[in-house]
Amino acid sequence: MAPPQGQMRPGRQLAVLGLIFTVLYLLVFFAAGAEGSWKDRLEPKLGLDLIGGTRMTLEAATEAGEAPPAGSLEEARQIIQARVDGRGVAEAEVVTEGNRNIVISVPGQNADLDDVGTPAELRFRKVLKTADGGGPVSAAPSPGASASPAPSGSPAPSGSPSPSGSPAADVTSSPGAGGGQGGGAPAPTPTPSGSASPAPSASASAPAAPVDQSLAQQRAAVEQKVGPEAWAAATALQAPADYNADPALAEKLKPFADLTPQEIRVLPAGIQFNVPTITCEKLDQRPPGSIKESGEQVVACEGGQQKNLLDVAKVEGTDVDDASGVLDQTSSQYVVSLDFTGDGQSKWTNLTREAYNNTDSQCDQAALGDEGRCRVAVVLDNKIISSPEIQGVLTGDSQITGSFTNASANELASQLRYGALPLTFQPQEAQNITATLGTEHLRAGLLAAGIGMLLVIIYAFFYYRLLGSVIFLSLVLSAILVFGALVVLGRQIGFTLTLAGIAGFIVSLGVAADSFVIYFERLKDEIREGRSPRSAVPRAWARARRTIISANAISIMAAVVLYLVSVGTVQGFAFALGLATVLDLVVVFLFRHPIMTMFARTPAFLSPKVSGLGRALQTADDETPSTGKTRVKEA
């Protein structure tokens, strides 16, 4: 037979509650991730709308202008999320919006989101020719001119930049990789017969991929815009135009200066390279994916000043199995380590052999590195991020070396590792939310929560009097539990408090108030039925408990469902509501009922004016017969 309810020992439940508080705040102050001063350890992670940050909207661009497939948009979202997370950005949120937008939200004031939406289509291409990309140039020196400065792909002393204006870089075999000629030993070179064959002109190209109809139409529109005379003059160029030698040529090519980056992208590579008014500034502004075709020669800039005519891409990003930014123990410099797939390694070996030997003398003299070897440009979308001189035939994993920092090495490795986006994106909106505005949002949210709690407490003391102190203490304990849980969850699972989360906590106050009303009104019913306040407490709890559990379970289930089917800040609202409801149940069982049992044993609880049970006690007195018998019956 179960022991009578009156024999409950409330001290045990209160001791368990005290143990929970102790463990929770030991985690707050001493668990992994608790760093800084005591004040710093009590700070929960706050979201974008509370501490400020950056929000960027990217719109997917398609050839036909239609919305992209939903699967491609979701794949792009996942890749962008991986890129942002790979930069070590905490609490970043990447969600799709509508049928073509992706919204990136990053808390903090130092978020760099400039290139997270770039296609990052990696290509390895030999550098065939170079030219000044800053504007009109004079005649290029002949290949045999010894005075012509060769852009260096080899490391510059003391980290100084190479003549190209970008950090110098080499590609070498990784330490311990399969050697062959990867250590830089000369490979067998073809025996020259007579003089070296001339370098290919910019208009010459390898077999190109078929031009699709839309590109042909766009190119025809550009040809019509510049006029037949300018188009014919540009097409006839075999090298960068020399305006000093032919002043009339400058007038003929003048219409090309009015082209937009979108129009420049459809021009043949020869025109882009040979027309001086097509500068690096315009080439760098071409839409993402403008030179993604692997089977065509293309033009790309390095350092914003040097135009490069690049060969067809013989190694692509899909041939790279892994990339990582690491500190080279030998040189104490940061490098990007490249691991290739099986087929990719064969392609890479063939490309490095071709570049090292300068097969068929494809590389112009001015495009060679310091040691007279061809450079291989690492092209990421529209720009050359590195153009190292090949130091040997590389038969194993390789390293890109140069003036890398830890951040730049890992950024490049991240872009290579996570691959190309399946869609092209255009930035539409970048909004910076200042810390001041975030602080105002936080202050407003906390003020709303404080007002809500204060109104509940005022009503409780006005209506329930002594029982109102139970409500007050319960809400305070719940708030302390919630705060500690926020700090711990922020460190362990990355939960971030936002305005939506604060709204969830405010709504949970109503759930908590409902459980008070259920319990206390049931207590009054028991007293009206003739029981003493002391015996009414356990009976009221036994009957109200089921209703309280059912009501809270419904709130928890609703929060779980909302969390699973929603994204973004709505998930934060659902998580906060569910967390507060669970902790309210803890307080109900381990504090509210035990403290009510203790109050029932005090004289003040029997006073109608003090206890808040006045009407119920008065009703019981009115119904008591005048026979001198006991006023109420015990349980």
Side-chain angles (χ1 to χ4, degrees), residues 248-282:
L249 186 59
E251 188 65 26
K252 291 180 181 179
L253 299 179
K254 187 176 180 180
F256 284 95
D258 298 327
L259 296 181
T260 66
Q262 288 76 14
E263 292 169 330
I264 289 175
R265 70 179 289 267
V266 304
L267 294 176
I271 293 180
Q272 294 185 37
F273 183 76
N274 291 326
V275 176
T277 50
I278 300 178
T279 63
C280 279
E281 180 180 3
K282 291 186 176 181

Side-chain angles (χ1 to χ4, degrees), residues 363-374:
C363 301
D364 182 84
Q365 180 69 27
L368 300 178
D370 285 345
E371 298 183 13
R373 308 295 180 184
C374 290

Side-chain angles (χ1 to χ4, degrees), residues 345-398:
Q345 184 61 62
S346 299
K347 296 178 183 178
W348 176 243
T349 299
N350 292 334
L351 177 60
T352 57
R353 179 182 294 111
E354 187 178 314
Y356 185 76
N357 296 330
N358 194 10
T359 305
D360 297 330
S361 299
Q362 280 190 308
C363 301
D364 182 84
Q365 180 69 27
L368 300 178
D370 285 345
E371 298 183 13
R373 308 295 180 184
C374 290
R375 293 180 294 138
V376 172
V378 183
V379 185
L380 196 63
D381 196 37
N382 291 343
K383 298 180 182 179
I384 297 175
I385 55 175
S386 180
S387 59
E389 182 179 7
I390 299 301
Q391 300 295 307
V393 181
L394 307 179
T395 59
D397 296 337
S398 306

Side-chain angles (χ1 to χ4, degrees), residues 393-481:
V393 181
L394 307 179
T395 59
D397 296 337
S398 306
Q399 291 179 340
I400 301 177
T401 62
S403 302
F404 288 114
T405 64
N406 184 23
S408 61
N410 281 286
E411 179 181 352
L412 172 57
S414 173
Q415 290 174 313
L416 306 185
R417 182 168 60 249
Y418 294 121
L421 292 176
L423 300 170
T424 297
F425 288 90
Q426 294 285 0
Q428 295 299 310
E429 177 186 13
Q431 178 185 11
N432 290 319
I433 300 176
T434 64
T436 301
L437 181 60
T439 302
E440 292 177 356
H441 288 170
L442 177 60
R443 186 181 297 112
L446 294 178
L447 179 62
I451 291 175
M453 181 176 287
L454 181 61
L455 290 175
V456 171
I457 292 173
I458 291 174
Y459 174 81
F461 276 109
F462 176 77
Y463 193 77
Y464 290 114
R465 301 184 185 179
L466 178 63
L467 298 182
S469 63
V470 178
I471 299 176
F472 173 75
L473 292 174
S474 297
L475 292 178
V476 169
L477 291 176
S478 293
I480 296 174
L481 276 177

Side-chain angles (χ1 to χ4, degrees), residues 174 320 322-326 335-339 397-400 409 413 416:
S174 299
V320 177
D322 193 18
S324 57
V326 297
V335 300
V336 177
S337 177
L338 293 176
D339 299 332
D397 296 337
S398 306
Q399 291 179 340
I400 301 177
L416 306 185

